[in-house]
Amino acid sequence: MTRFLLAFTAAAALAAPAVAAPVLGQPAPAFQAVDASGKTRSLSEFRGKTVVLEWTNNGCPYVQKHYNSGAMQRLQGQAAKDGVVWLTVISSAPGMQGHLTGAQAMQWKTKEKAAPAEVLLDPAGTVGRAYDAKTTPHMYIVDKTGKLIYMGGIDDKPSSDPESLKGATNYVAAALADVKAGRPVAQAATRPYGCSVKYGSAD
């Protein structure tokens, strides 16, 4: 019986290898993902530019707080003006809340007047797991050299109530301001909040 359990455990470990969590100050996990228009994109193609990764789920009330208020779109727009590449990532698995096809993602982007450079589709959860993305939203910033310089929440108000945006400290805006000014990011790691990322099976 013990031999069977050991064999089963070993097989399970091989089937679902552990993924190391990303580390601040180290190279951000490389990835390739198809965008909403069907083009394969990679993190490496944006080398030399600051990159924001935003995990989203259009059915999540925490995400809706930021989009329905226009706060996320304003942040995306300002980032674009400053030459930052904003990539919105959808890691919801097929059949799970927030899953979108390419056409649906384009419709969502238009409807919300969202302003990311690209919407990346990650239905297998490969990119999400590489970054240990746990919530929507969950935010990451990669610097021009490809190193991870911020990861965590979008702000300090872990609520789905739109009123919570009043007086909130937006960690991403603050981090991008530090980058623009040539300063180290003052608050590089914070606690993310929101809905859990709706991953499918890890098989």
Side-chain angles (χ1 to χ4, degrees):
M1 183 67 174
T2 301
R3 186 176 300 172
F4 171 79
L5 288 173
L6 287 172
F8 177 82
T9 302
L14 287 172
V19 178
V23 178
L24 284 169
Q26 296 298 312
F31 65 79
Q32 286 191 328
V34 175
D35 66 20
S37 65
K39 182 178 180 180
T40 298
R41 314 308 295 255
S42 64
L43 180 62
S44 61
E45 75 180 89
F46 303 112
R47 185 97 171 177
K49 294 186 177 182
T50 301
V51 176
V52 172
L53 299 172
E54 168 215 352
W55 262 262
T56 198
N57 166 356
N58 68 338
C60 171
Y62 294 91
V63 169
Q64 291 168 357
K65 174 183 78 170
H66 290 281
Y67 276 96
N68 291 347
S69 65
M72 188 71 82
Q73 296 91 323
R74 286 191 293 273
L75 188 56
Q76 293 167 341
Q78 183 58 54
K81 288 179 183 177
D82 291 335
V84 174
V85 175
W86 189 293
L87 303 175
T88 296
V89 186
I90 300 174
S91 292
S92 295
M96 303 291 281
Q97 182 193 62
H99 174 75
L100 298 176
T101 64
Q104 290 170 335
M106 293 291 281
Q107 291 171 356
W108 168 78
K109 181 181 176 182
T110 300
K111 174 178 174 290
E112 295 293 347
K113 297 182 173 62
E118 305 294 344
V119 178
L120 303 182
L121 307 179
D122 180 41
T126 305
V127 182
R129 290 188 177 96
Y131 279 79
D132 198 27
K134 297 183 180 301
T135 64
T136 50
H138 199 155
M139 310 297 298
Y140 300 80
I141 301 176
V142 181
D143 73 6
K144 294 179 180 181
T145 70
K147 291 182 180 178
L148 187 66
I149 58 171
Y150 176 81
M151 59 182 182
I154 189 167
D155 63 26
D156 63 346
K157 301 293 184 183
S159 169
S160 61
D161 184 355
E163 289 296 309
S164 68
L165 289 168
K166 296 177 181 177
T169 296
N170 191 294
Y171 294 130
V172 177
L176 290 176
D178 286 338
V179 172
K180 186 176 180 179
R183 302 184 297 257
V185 174
Q187 201 158 8
T190 64
R191 184 184 298 277
Y193 72 86
C195 305
S196 62
V197 178
K198 301 301 187 280
Y199 294 117
S201 169
D203 294 344

